[in-house]
């Protein structure tokens, strides 16, 4: 079939690009920018296979400048200097446009080499990256560039590319392909928003077609698990964990189970377990204190069982937390206490609270006058426990849930004061 199918169907105009309507739709900023012909320094950020390279190539062709391409995985400082050197040639008189793919792989020194020429406008940079540029791209380059985020393409849009890919594949084979019902839809949904992955699946199915027939079973074999977009060290990992905790906090058990399933399907058992142990105290907290013990038991069971059985106790823990009453009173309390300590608001520990279990403690006035709470009715006695500068400080405020309100009523009766 010659060139890869993905290259054969690569769009030549912005109108042909599938997805990214939020960037390329009529009257959107990026599209208007391209149509004016005044191209600033651009950084395209997003997952693989969603059109970053395609859009950059289309823009580069319309820029009217000498185009050079580098890839951050292989480019050296010498390669960058070679591009800069073209500014003194006849071809570079009108300016140079550098398309730099995977800019995150360039080290700081390599990025700094570009900086002077980007700053004075001699070189226009269009860079793409699958990693968050605010973490991986030199700040001076970021400040001179406009970042546009590319999103995974919807299945509906990908289906258009799949249909076109099958048509072109059939033309290359010089016979139309007979596509079983459901094949195109399955590929569109299974590729996880990655157009390139979908087109590659089409190419594999076309090459392997028997009597020019493509079946749904074959499509399932080729596209299996390709919908998972996950990197344990990347943004997707933290985005899923963030959504997971926010779903539990928001008492949406269905969403929480979905995000848990995505983590487990990727083979990640440790991350959700660690996050669940935090959630039990951070988000359920004192509204249902037993949640911490139950979640811990479920996490322990998960590690003993391993995947796939681990999903069962973890699902139990997630549903329990989602359907439990919520309280963040413990979080607010410790945050307030930590703030005082970090700001130096501490003071001396009252002498009667200090350790008295050593020779000479009483001579120093330590532990003298301490009231042992268990010697008093209801195991309580009024006594100052905080240092003097904080003696009236209240860090903890009872939550409105049933459990904390019951505790509040009990202590108001014992202490004889409003809490």
């Amino acid at each position: 079939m010659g060139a890869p199918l993905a290259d054969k169907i690569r769009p030549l105009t912005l109108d042909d690009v599938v997805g990214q309507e939020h960037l390329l739709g009529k009257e959107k900023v990026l599209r208007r920018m391209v149509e004016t012909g005044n191209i600033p320094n651009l950084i395209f950020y997003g997952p693989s296979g969603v059109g970053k390279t395609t859009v950059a190539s289309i823009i580069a062709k319309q820029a009217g400048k000498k185009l050079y391409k580098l890839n951050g995985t292989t480019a050296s400082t010498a390669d960058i200097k070679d591009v800069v050197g073209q500014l003194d040639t006849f071809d570079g008189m009108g300016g140079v446009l550098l398309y730099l793919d995977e800019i995150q792989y360039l080290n700081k020194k390599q990025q700094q080499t570009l900086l002077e020429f980007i700053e004075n406008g001699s070189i226009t940079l269009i860079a793409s990256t699958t990693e968050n540029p605010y973490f991986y791209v030199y700040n001076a380059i970021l400040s001179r560039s406009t970042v546009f985020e590319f999103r995974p393409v919807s299945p509906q849009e990908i289906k258009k590319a799949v249909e076109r890919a099958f048509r072109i594949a059939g033309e290359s084979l010089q016979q139309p392909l007979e596509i079983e019902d459901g094949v195109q839809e399955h590929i569109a949904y299974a590729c996880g928003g990655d157009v390139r992955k979908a087109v590659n699946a089409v190419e594999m199915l076309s090459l392997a077609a028997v009597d020019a027939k493509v079946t749904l079973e074959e499509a399932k074999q080729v596209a299996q698990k390709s919908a998972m977009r996950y990197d344990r060290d990347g943004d997707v990992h933290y985005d899923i964990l963030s959504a997971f905790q926010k779903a539990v906090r928001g008492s949406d058990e269905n969403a929480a189970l979905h995000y848990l399933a995505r983590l487990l399907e990727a083979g990640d058992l440790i991350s959700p377990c660690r996050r669940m142990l935090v959630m039990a105290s951070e988000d359920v907290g004192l509204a249902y204190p037993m949640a911490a013990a139950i979640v811990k038991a479920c996490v322990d069971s998960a590690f003993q069982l391993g995947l796939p059985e681990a999903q069962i106790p973890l699902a139990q823990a997630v549903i329990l937390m989602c359907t439990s009453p919520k309280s963040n009173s413990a979080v607010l309390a410790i945050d307030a206490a930590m703030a005082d300590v970090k700001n130096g608001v501490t003071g001396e520990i009252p002498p009667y609270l200090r350790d008295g279990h050593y020779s000479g403690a009483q001579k120093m006035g330590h532990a003298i006058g301490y009231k042992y709470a268990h010697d008093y009715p209801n195991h309580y006695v009024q006594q100052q426990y905080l240092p003097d500068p904080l003696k009236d400080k209240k860090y903890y405020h009872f939550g409105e849930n049933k459990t904390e309100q019951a505790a509040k009523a009990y202590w108001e009766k014992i202490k004889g004061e409003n809490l």
Side-chain angles (χ1 to χ4, degrees), residues 28 36 49 69 76 88 96 98 106 112 122 143 163 179 202 222 235 243 252 259 278 288 291 307 338 344 386 397:
K28 297 300 181 181
T36 63
K69 296 182 180 181
S76 65
D88 297 326
V96 167
L98 171 62
L106 291 188
Q112 286 176 320
S122 300
S143 67
E163 292 171 345
I179 314 298
V202 170
V222 168
D235 287 346
D252 189 332
Y259 294 118
V278 172
Y288 182 38
L307 290 170
M338 291 295 295
L386 278 168
H397 299 276

Side-chain angles (χ1 to χ4, degrees), residues 200-262:
N200 288 342
V202 170
E203 184 169 31
M204 291 176 65
L205 290 168
S206 302
L207 291 172
V210 177
D211 297 328
K213 295 181 179 179
V214 178
T215 69
L216 180 58
E217 180 58 33
E218 291 169 341
K220 290 179 178 179
Q221 292 177 32
V222 168
Q224 59 181 333
K225 287 194 175 181
S226 62
M228 283 301 299
R229 191 169 63 87
Y230 189 79
D231 179 351
R232 294 193 190 189
D233 295 321
D235 287 346
V236 175
H237 167 78
Y238 295 106
D239 287 346
I240 294 175
L241 283 174
S242 176
F244 178 41
Q245 180 162 5
K246 288 170 183 172
V248 171
R249 182 182 298 150
S251 302
D252 189 332
E253 62 274 15
N254 297 303
L257 288 169
H258 169 76
Y259 294 118
L260 173 64
R262 287 172 69 162

Side-chain angles (χ1 to χ4, degrees), residues 72-92:
T73 59
T74 56
S76 65
T77 302
D79 293 328
I80 297 172
K81 289 182 177 179
D82 284 344
V83 173
V84 172
Q86 299 303 311
L87 293 170
D88 297 326
T89 67
F90 180 79
D91 285 342

Side-chain angles (χ1 to χ4, degrees), residues 132-150:
N132 192 326
Y134 296 98
F135 296 155
Y136 290 92
V137 178
Y138 185 41
N139 283 335
I141 290 181
L142 271 178
S143 67
R144 293 163 178 80
S145 306
T146 303
V147 177
F148 288 99
E149 183 175 2
F150 282 58

Side-chain angles (χ1 to χ4, degrees), residues 23 72 94 173 184 202 207 213 290 340 383 391 401 404:
L23 299 178
L173 294 170
Q184 296 166 338
V202 170
L207 291 172
K213 295 181 179 179
M290 275 301 295
D340 273 350
Q383 186 171 215
K391 65 179 182 178
N401 57 82
E404 289 182 86

